[in-house]
Amino acid sequence: MTKITGPCDLLITHVHIATMDPSGGTGSYGEIPDGAVAIDQGVIQWLGALTELPISLQPKTLIHGQGQWLMPGLIDCHTHLIYGGNRATEFEQRLEGKSYSDIAREGGGIMSTVNATRRCSLDELIEQSRPRLEALLSEGVTTLEIKSGYGLNLETELKILRAARELEQQYPVRIEKTFLGAHALPPEFAGQPDRYIEVVCEDMLPVIAEEGLATAVDVFCETIGFNLSQTEKVFQRAQSLGLGIKLHGEQLSDSQGTQLATAYDALSVDHLEYLSEEGVKALENSATVATLLPGAFYFLKESQLPPVEKLRASGIPMALATDLNPGTSPFTSLRLMMNMACTLFGLTPSEALAGVTRHSARALGLHHHTGMIKTGYAADLTLWPVNSPAALAACLTGEHPSLTLYNGEVR
Ligand code: NIG
Ligand code: FE
C-alpha cells in the first residue's frame, strides 16, 4: 500500500467502488466494497478499503458516500453533438419505407443537416447544441468527443470545431475534437470526390491542425461516403500532421475500412455491423478499439449485428458511444446505449460499463489519464444512488449521479 501523509483536497468515504481497473479490486467491475478515495490537485492520490485508510491523511473536505457506488466519470467517445436543425421528416420517410442510403442519394441525410448547419451563426450553433451537452453531463459524462462533419467547407467545419472549443470553455468537461471533413461529398464537388478529398487534405486539415482545433480525423468509409483510397489519403495527411485517426467503418457494408485503419494505428473504428473475419483479425493484431454504436443500429432498424462474440473472444476492447447525431442516433443518453448494447448486442452490464469508461478512454487515447479509478488518474468520478453497478445498464428509471467530480472539482 502506498504510504501517504499530510493534507489532501478531498476524501470520499463509505462508498463501494467500481474501479473498472482490471488490475484493481475484484470481479468484473474491479470492485472495492466499503472503500474510500483520496483526491489531491485533481488527481486520485489513494484508494482502498476504508479499514486501510492511512490515518495520516488530513483531508480539507470530507464526503460521506452513504454506501453509494462510486464509478469513473462516463466517457462518450463518438458524438456529432454540434449541428443545426433536426431530421424528424426523414424519420417519417424511413418509417414509410425509404432507406437511409436512398435519402442520402437524393440529397437529404447528412446534406440536409449540412445545409441547416451552414445557415447557423457560431452563436446559434452553440445555443442549439447546449441542451444536448447538458443532457450528457446530467448523466455523469466527464469526457466526450465531438466531431465536425456537418460543414463540408472550411468555414463551417471551423465554425463547428470552434463551437466545440467554446463549449469546453463554458462547461467543466473534457472535449476531444475530431475533424470529419470527409463525412459526405458536398454538392459543390458532385462527381469529383477525389478533388474534394484533395481540398480536405490540403486546404482544410492544415488550417485545423494549425489552430489546434482537432486532435484526430475521422472518415466515413462507405458506399455513400468515401472509398478506401480516398480514406487512405486523409489518413496519410492526418498522420503527417500528428493527428490521431478514427473511422466510421463497416456500418452499411463491408468496405474493409477496418483493415486500412488498423494499418494506420487508428485509435478506433466505429459502427462495425458488417465487420468481416479479416476485420476482426486486423483489430486483434492492433491496439485499435472497436466502438459499438447501438443507437444507430436501433434507429436505422438495422438487422445485421456487429460480431460481438468474435470481438470478445479475440480480446478486442469494445467501447460504446451515443453517436449523437440528428440522422441515425438522436440520443443523448450513454446509459440508454449501455442498455441497448446489452439487449441488442449481448454485452454484459460490466462490458457495457467498461465500454463507456476504460475502453472509451482508450478510443480517445486518454487511457493513461481517465476512464478508471486508479492512483495517478484524473479524479473524474460519479457517485450513484444504486445498489449495484449493473443498475447503470439495467434501470433507466431516472437515477442521476448524486455527485460528479471532474478533475477533482465537484460539478
Ligand atoms: O455515425 N455514418 C455516418 N455518420 C453518422 C450519421 C450522420 C447523419 O446521418 O447525419 C453516423 O451514423
Ligand atoms: Fe457517427
Side-chain angles (χ1 to χ4, degrees):
M1 190 180 74
T2 333
K3 276 229 159 48
I4 48 164
T5 53
C8 71
D9 290 331
L10 175 64
L11 179 66
I12 306 173
T13 63
H14 300 87
V15 285
H16 303 304
I17 308 172
T19 66
M20 300 316 287
D21 177 0
S23 61
T26 57
S28 57
Y29 296 99
E31 291 164 45
I32 302 176
D34 298 317
V37 176
I39 293 152
D40 199 50
Q41 294 180 29
V43 171
I44 297 168
Q45 188 185 16
W46 182 90
L47 74 156
L50 195 52
T51 51
E52 291 175 13
L53 190 67
I55 42 169
S56 52
L57 261 183
Q58 296 154 10
K60 290 180 200 145
T61 306
L62 184 66
I63 292 177
H64 191 299
Q66 317 279 353
Q68 297 176 82
W69 275 90
L70 190 69
M71 309 195 203
L74 306 188
I75 300 173
D76 194 350
C77 65
H78 180 144
T79 87
H80 309 248
L81 180 134
I82 296 177
Y83 57 81
N86 70 56
R87 304 242 289 276
T89 44
E90 274 178 28
F91 180 60
E92 285 178 319
Q93 288 173 351
R94 286 195 296 105
L95 290 174
E96 284 160 11
K98 255 203 180 156
S99 79
Y100 177 64
S101 304
D102 288 343
I103 293 171
R105 285 194 194 96
E106 289 166 14
I110 292 173
M111 270 322 296
S112 115
T113 300
V114 169
N115 293 330
T117 306
R118 286 179 178 178
R119 283 195 293 268
C120 288
S121 68
L122 176 68
D123 286 344
E124 285 165 348
L125 206 46
I126 291 170
E127 290 320 310
Q128 289 195 27
S129 304
R130 191 184 297 286
R132 300 190 278 267
L133 178 61
E134 290 179 356
L136 287 175
L137 297 193
S138 75
E139 268 194 346
V141 167
T142 50
T143 300
L144 75 146
E145 186 247 24
I146 296 180
K147 300 177 197 294
S148 67
Y150 287 128
L152 310 185
N153 59 30
L154 181 59
E155 182 196 345
T156 318
E157 290 291 308
L158 284 171
K159 187 171 66 185
I160 296 168
L161 294 169
R162 285 177 184 147
R165 184 172 61 190
E166 184 68 29
L167 286 170
E168 189 182 22
Q169 283 160 4
Q170 292 181 15
Y171 290 85
V173 67
R174 191 177 295 107
I175 296 182
E176 291 292 302
K177 297 179 285 302
T178 299
F179 171 60
L180 177 56
H183 193 193
L185 185 65
E188 305 84 73
F189 289 85
Q192 310 174 70
D194 292 324
R195 174 75 195 113
Y196 179 62
I197 290 295
E198 220 175 285
V199 168
V200 165
C201 291
E202 301 313 322
D203 300 348
M204 298 193 197
L205 253 173
V207 179
I208 280 153
E210 169 80 13
E211 216 186 299
L213 274 172
T215 52
V217 300
D218 194 342
V219 177
F220 187 24
C221 181
E222 188 55 69
T223 45
I224 58 165
F226 296 94
N227 67 26
L228 279 175
S229 82
Q230 291 154 354
T231 303
E232 184 162 23
K233 290 211 173 85
V234 180
F235 287 176
Q236 283 172 344
R237 193 69 181 109
Q239 225 165 42
S240 77
L241 293 165
L243 300 174
I245 283 167
K246 297 174 89 64
L247 184 77
H248 279 71
E250 336 313 348
Q251 179 187 14
L252 309 170
S253 63
D254 176 18
S255 305
Q256 302 177 22
T258 298
Q259 291 89 312
L260 178 70
T262 53
Y264 280 84
D265 298 323
L267 290 163
S268 72
V269 288
D270 303 30
H271 284 289
L272 300 178
E273 280 84 342
Y274 290 82
L275 186 68
S276 65
E277 294 269 1
E278 292 69 38
V280 174
K281 282 210 188 74
L283 283 169
E284 193 177 354
N285 297 320
S286 75
T288 302
V289 171
T291 300
L292 305 178
L293 305 171
F297 172 90
Y298 159 82
F299 200 66
L300 292 179
K301 298 206 282 177
E302 178 58 67
S303 54
Q304 172 83 23
L305 284 161
V308 164
E309 276 173 37
K310 289 184 187 139
L311 292 169
R312 182 188 285 129
S314 306
I316 295 160
M318 290 182 277
L320 274 182
T322 58
D323 193 14
L324 167 52
N325 77 73
T328 67
S329 194
F331 304 115
T332 55
S333 170
L334 258 187
R335 292 192 53 212
L336 178 60
M337 300 306 118
M338 293 171 71
N339 178 271
M340 286 183 180
C342 296
T343 55
L344 301 174
F345 292 172
L347 265 68
T348 65
S350 73
E351 284 175 330
L353 188 57
V356 297
T357 55
R358 183 170 81 241
H359 298 321
S360 48
R362 180 176 285 274
L364 297 174
L366 298 174
H367 49 295
H368 297 302
H369 182 66
T370 187
M372 291 187 253
I373 304 183
K374 192 174 168 124
T375 308
Y377 272 52
D380 298 341
L381 303 170
T382 47
L383 187 62
W384 294 87
V386 296
N387 63 2
S388 99
L392 259 62
C395 312
L396 303 188
T397 41
E399 299 78 3
H400 286 276
S402 53
L403 179 74
T404 301
L405 298 184
Y406 171 63
N407 276 335
E409 299 286 331
V410 174
R411 211 159 69 177

